[in-house]
Amino acid sequence: MHNQTVDEIIQMLDLQPHPEGGFYQSTYTGEESIEVSDGTRNLFTSIYFLLRSQDVSHFHRLKSDELWYFHEGSPIEIHMIEPNGKYKKVKLGLNLAEGESPQYLVPKNTIFGSTVLEENSFSLVGCMVAPGFDFADFKIFEQDELLAKYPEHEGIIRRLTVDS
């Protein structure tokens, strides 16, 4: 890891607060577009996403696949509720011997959020979305809605949602 503090990285990459939690900055939008069921989207988009250990990325869902790439900091855990209701978590990081993966695809229509594994740390990742990200395809979930549908996942739902 380099010597920059998390605040310096946020400033140097011009990261802005993200509605789901954490910080982000768009880094690339593909020039080509594609027709989807409710309009046109760029073929793909990419962002930097930074999550501090004191923050969480709240449970949300996209209508597109999202490919995560680990860049720097502490490993990050991606928590997912698959469309079939099954809970799954994946560690994104560089310690392959510990079961971490440097990249991971979150399939479209999966409810997901993330947490940083080490205290007093952060995770910097890249996220590429295809078809490209559009806030019209983004939904953040309320706690009551997920608890009613997936009561068996109460612990992680309470951790990654705001009390309704």
Side-chain angles (χ1 to χ4, degrees):
M1 191 178 323
H2 299 91
N3 293 328
Q4 290 97 13
T5 66
V6 66
D7 291 332
E8 289 170 334
I9 292 171
I10 289 169
Q11 181 182 2
M12 286 188 276
L13 295 177
D14 194 26
L15 303 179
Q16 304 300 315
H18 196 291
E20 78 190 49
F23 300 86
Y24 80 108
Q25 181 59 255
S26 177
T27 58
Y28 187 78
T29 299
E31 293 179 16
E32 296 180 38
S33 60
I34 186 171
E35 292 297 318
V36 296
S37 60
D38 54 350
T40 303
R41 300 290 181 266
N42 294 95
L43 192 56
F44 72 94
T45 57
S46 187
I47 65 168
Y48 285 125
F49 180 66
L50 184 140
L51 193 64
R52 302 173 304 181
S53 53
Q54 67 265 37
D55 303 320
V56 299
S57 164
H58 293 96
F59 270 135
H60 61 287
R61 180 179 61 208
L62 300 179
K63 293 181 180 178
S64 299
D65 291 337
E66 183 169 67
L67 189 56
W68 288 52
Y69 302 92
F70 184 82
H71 291 308
E72 184 172 352
S74 169
I76 191 168
E77 212 160 39
I78 305 169
H79 303 269
M80 295 164 277
I81 300 175
E82 299 173 335
N84 65 8
K86 181 182 172 193
Y87 170 76
K88 178 179 184 178
K89 66 181 173 181
V90 170
K91 290 180 187 177
L92 200 68
L94 300 178
N95 191 339
L96 305 179
E98 290 295 319
E100 297 171 9
S101 177
Q103 70 180 40
Y104 185 79
L105 178 74
V106 176
K108 66 183 177 183
N109 298 317
T110 298
I111 297 167
F112 67 105
S114 55
T115 56
V116 175
L117 286 173
E118 297 173 8
E119 291 185 24
N120 302 312
S121 188
F122 69 93
S123 296
L124 176 64
V125 300
C127 299
M128 193 272 299
V129 177
F133 180 85
D134 189 300
F135 273 105
D137 302 330
F138 174 80
K139 175 180 168 78
I140 292 184
F141 288 89
E142 292 188 3
Q143 192 173 93
D144 289 348
E145 180 181 3
L146 288 182
L147 286 174
K149 192 165 184 178
Y150 307 107
E152 68 275 23
H153 307 312
E154 180 179 1
I156 194 64
I157 289 171
R158 289 195 183 279
R159 185 171 178 204
L160 298 185
T161 55
V162 176
D163 195 4
S164 314

